[in-house]
Amino acid sequence: MSDPQILLRGDRLGLGQPRREMLPEYHRWENDPGTILGYGNQFPQAWEVREGGWSGQRGNHNYPQFEVVRLDDMTPVGITTLIVNTFVRTAEYVILVAPEERGKGYAEEATRLTLDWAFHLGALRTVWLKVLEPDTAGITAYEKAGFKQSGRLRKSGFWLGEPVDELLMDALPEDFSGPSAMK
């Protein structure tokens, strides 16, 4: 397996290029029941669908993805994605943390690094996300990284089979506190 190509370094984590050879592991993370619950999906994705979408995602410059890598041992622990709308210079943010790596504070640092990239290299005006209201750990991590609650979609998601609200959160460059990892 090739070593991750680290593009941006934080304290414990780095952002790197996603690697084709990691696709089976990414697929395993995506089909974990906790991931499916957090995304509000109801069913796992078939390997053939995930494998078929790889080239399209990697070839789309409006869909930058980052492999989140733990720097002390260079182990991949997640993926972050920016779904960019180039017309208005905004992006939707999506994060996936490996099931066995959850609860270690990685979501906050990975989110902060991705926002750093989005604002300082990507020159985006706003980054936004949707999170299911019962996902309090996710909401806390996003707020610590610089997101603020900005709206609500009532009963638009599902949590354990029940309709729940989705919270809208956004971040602006001025919400990004602290030094950039680019310096």
Side-chain angles (χ1 to χ4, degrees):
M1 184 174 294
S2 65
D3 289 335
Q5 177 190 3
I6 303 300
L7 304 170
L8 188 62
R9 292 176 178 273
D11 295 330
R12 298 185 301 159
L13 302 175
L15 297 182
Q17 289 283 349
R19 296 170 288 157
R20 174 86 172 79
E21 64 206 51
M22 285 293 299
L23 191 55
E25 192 69 358
Y26 303 156
H27 183 253
R28 180 182 70 80
W29 299 346
E30 292 162 349
N31 283 314
D32 174 75
T35 302
I36 290 172
L37 175 65
Y39 281 174
N41 299 340
Q42 286 77 45
F43 301 101
Q45 182 182 65
W47 167 252
E48 294 80 7
V49 173
R50 182 61 174 105
E51 184 180 38
W54 171 259
S55 294
Q57 287 176 344
R58 298 302 304 141
N60 183 346
H61 72 277
N62 293 327
Y63 196 85
Q65 289 187 301
F66 300 98
E67 183 178 76
V68 180
V69 177
R70 188 172 47 227
L71 294 173
D72 66 355
D73 62 2
M74 300 307 275
T75 298
V77 297
I79 293 279
T80 63
T81 305
L82 293 167
I83 305 167
V84 178
N85 180 334
T86 57
F87 297 108
V88 293
R89 305 295 311 153
T90 65
E92 180 180 4
Y93 175 70
V94 179
I95 185 171
L96 167 63
V97 177
E100 59 277 8
E101 302 296 342
R102 294 178 187 147
K104 299 178 181 179
Y106 293 156
E108 177 188 348
E109 186 174 355
T111 299
R112 176 175 285 286
L113 285 168
T114 306
L115 286 176
D116 195 349
W117 190 285
F119 295 139
H120 296 118
L121 291 167
L124 297 178
R125 294 175 39 235
T126 303
V127 177
W128 62 275
L129 61 84
K130 293 187 295 186
V131 59
L132 297 173
E133 188 171 35
D135 185 359
T136 56
I139 293 166
T140 299
Y142 300 140
E143 288 176 338
K144 287 181 178 179
F147 280 93
K148 296 181 190 298
Q149 291 188 29
S150 58
R152 166 182 307 269
L153 299 172
R154 297 178 300 150
K155 307 286 187 215
S156 62
F158 286 93
W159 186 270
L160 297 175
E162 297 295 322
V164 297
D165 292 357
E166 285 182 287
L167 301 180
L168 299 173
M169 302 181 79
D170 63 9
L172 303 172
E174 55 266 27
D175 296 328
F176 187 83
S177 61
S180 168
M182 297 301 306
K183 296 179 181 179

